[in-house]
Amino acid sequence: MKLQVVVSSQTNPYWNVAVENYLVSRQIEDTVVMYLWKNHRTVVVGQNQNPFSECNVDALLADGGYVMRRTTGGGAVYHDDGNINFSFVAPYDLYDQQRQFEVIRVALRDYGLETELSGRNDMLCNGRKFSGNAFSKGQYQRLHHGTILIKGNMDDLSRYLKVRPAKLHKHGVASVQSRVVNLSELADITSDSIVPHLIEAFGIVYGANYEQYAFDDFVCLAEVENLYNKYSSDEWLYGKWRSFTAQRSAQFDWGSVDIGLTVDERRGIITDVAVATDALDVGLTDTIRKLLVGASIHCAPQTPPDVDKSVASDIVSLIWG
């Protein structure tokens, strides 16, 4: 097994996500990659989220920030120069989520910090969240990426992120600040000082030597430039959501959802559906569309055999009461 390390020299989120997706697209065997990167003042939304529901877009852009849409599911997070982000890219036979989490945990033990996993994708220290994670599958590689909150600007986080009252109520807290922690509050740590510790922990956990590759060697590739153009495009970032108005919203165990319906009143059927969700399952939007498009507005549809019945029940109760 080979280990590769790539450390970004950019804080532009579109270059960072372009390189990440290039790494995932490569057909390379017997190799695990750890990619470390920072974004400057960026709200990152999940693949299927409505950015205008999750983020104060106008304020963020006016302050020189970025909206970025990732290719994985889950909810919106805030990045700035005080945080470090990590990506593990591995072929299917070497992908090991627990091992990947252990790299983060070993690195933080160097600072006297003990951490734990919580829920579907969070890491906690002293009971407070410092890392959110998401996952996806490519043709050849699998991806696990996340953020380590070290010295993020909490005022900016609150200014740019919109947090749903239903989600706050579910977690029994009064504000977004009370749910997260900057690790710099707990130890003498910065987003720069942790990098060599993460690299060392990567080698320790995997028991192998690593090679470090220059970020700029990837940026100059035509494939990466094409990905940059895609992920920085208005269509990818905002698309249909510029004119989207959520008509139904709810918080379920599997995540939050906003649904906008286009209805043919003459025929009494739903002709189109816009779905925004922070569910980790990126295919869930297709599932909901399959359930709703073509359904009568007067009565709930039958659940197709290949649609999850619990999700269908939640959606039916949301639309038809």
Side-chain angles (χ1 to χ4, degrees):
M1 177 174 59
K2 300 175 184 177
L3 302 182
Q4 293 182 357
V5 172
V6 181
V7 180
S8 174
S9 58
Q10 287 266 0
T11 58
N12 180 308
Y14 309 129
W15 282 118
N16 287 332
V17 73
V19 169
E20 179 186 69
N21 280 275
Y22 172 75
L23 294 172
V24 174
S25 72
R26 294 189 303 175
Q27 187 175 2
I28 182 171
E29 299 178 352
D30 198 36
T31 301
V32 180
V33 180
M34 183 174 71
Y35 170 44
L36 303 175
W37 43 286
K38 296 181 190 179
N39 287 334
H40 174 70
R41 194 175 291 161
T42 301
V43 171
V44 184
V45 298
Q47 181 176 331
N48 295 315
Q49 286 191 295
N50 175 356
F52 298 100
S53 294
E54 305 298 329
C55 167
N56 293 306
V57 173
D58 291 341
L60 177 64
L61 298 182
D63 291 343
Y66 303 88
V67 174
M68 187 183 94
R69 182 182 298 281
R70 61 178 181 267
T71 58
T72 52
V77 295
Y78 179 65
H79 291 176
D80 64 20
D81 303 78
N83 306 327
I84 190 77
N85 308 300
F86 61 87
S87 307
F88 292 100
V89 180
Y92 281 65
D93 60 329
L94 293 180
Y95 181 88
D96 186 337
Q97 203 164 289
Q98 293 306 310
R99 208 175 192 183
Q100 291 146 200
F101 275 122
E102 187 64 14
V103 172
I104 311 304
R105 301 186 70 187
V106 168
L108 291 176
R109 286 193 191 111
D110 290 347
Y111 294 91
L113 299 173
E114 289 297 328
T115 62
E116 60 181 320
L117 302 180
S118 174
R120 56 183 181 165
N121 63 336
D122 294 343
M123 297 185 74
L124 308 181
C125 188
N126 291 355
R128 296 169 70 188
K129 176 179 174 178
F130 70 89
S131 178
N133 295 255
F135 319 93
S136 69
K137 298 178 181 180
Q139 183 177 0
Y140 306 111
Q141 311 284 336
R142 295 185 66 177
L143 169 67
H144 166 191
H145 62 188
T147 297
I148 302 175
L149 187 64
I150 295 177
K151 197 173 183 180
N153 188 315
M154 292 298 189
D155 290 337
D156 282 353
L157 184 151
S158 297
R159 171 172 163 78
Y160 302 130
L161 276 184
K162 296 180 180 178
V163 181
R164 300 167 185 269
K167 182 173 287 191
L168 292 176
H169 177 73
K170 177 182 177 183
H171 289 274
V173 294
S175 69
V176 67
Q177 292 100 320
S178 66
R179 294 168 47 208
V180 300
V181 63
N182 270 316
L183 294 181
S184 60
E185 298 174 23
L186 309 176
D188 184 14
I189 182 174
T190 70
S191 59
D192 291 324
S193 72
I194 194 177
V195 170
H197 293 274
L198 288 167
I199 294 173
E200 181 182 18
F202 186 40
I204 291 171
V205 171
Y206 281 87
N209 294 323
Y210 64 86
E211 288 186 86
Q212 188 158 344
Y213 289 76
F215 181 79
D216 291 344
D217 289 345
F218 295 101
V219 169
C220 66
L221 298 175
E223 299 98 313
V224 173
E225 184 176 358
N226 290 336
L227 288 167
Y228 170 87
N229 291 334
K230 172 184 175 179
Y231 295 126
S232 61
S233 69
D234 188 89
E235 179 182 4
W236 173 258
L237 295 173
Y238 306 109
K240 61 191 175 186
W241 302 115
R242 287 198 181 278
S243 59
F244 172 73
T245 302
Q247 297 173 330
R248 298 288 189 274
S249 300
Q251 178 78 35
F252 298 110
D253 289 341
W254 43 264
S256 65
V257 65
D258 291 339
I259 297 178
L261 305 175
T262 301
V263 177
D264 184 329
E265 295 185 1
R266 181 177 61 83
R267 292 186 293 161
I269 64 170
I270 299 169
T271 58
D272 197 13
V273 178
V275 183
T277 177
D278 65 359
L280 290 175
D281 179 3
V282 296
L284 193 64
T285 56
D286 291 334
T287 296
I288 295 172
R289 284 180 53 81
K290 185 173 185 178
L291 177 69
L292 296 181
V293 173
S296 168
I297 62 174
H298 303 297
C299 60
Q302 295 293 317
T303 302
D306 56 343
V307 170
D308 185 290
K309 287 184 170 53
S310 63
V311 171
S313 175
D314 288 338
I315 298 302
V316 165
S317 67
L318 177 62
I319 303 301
W320 285 274

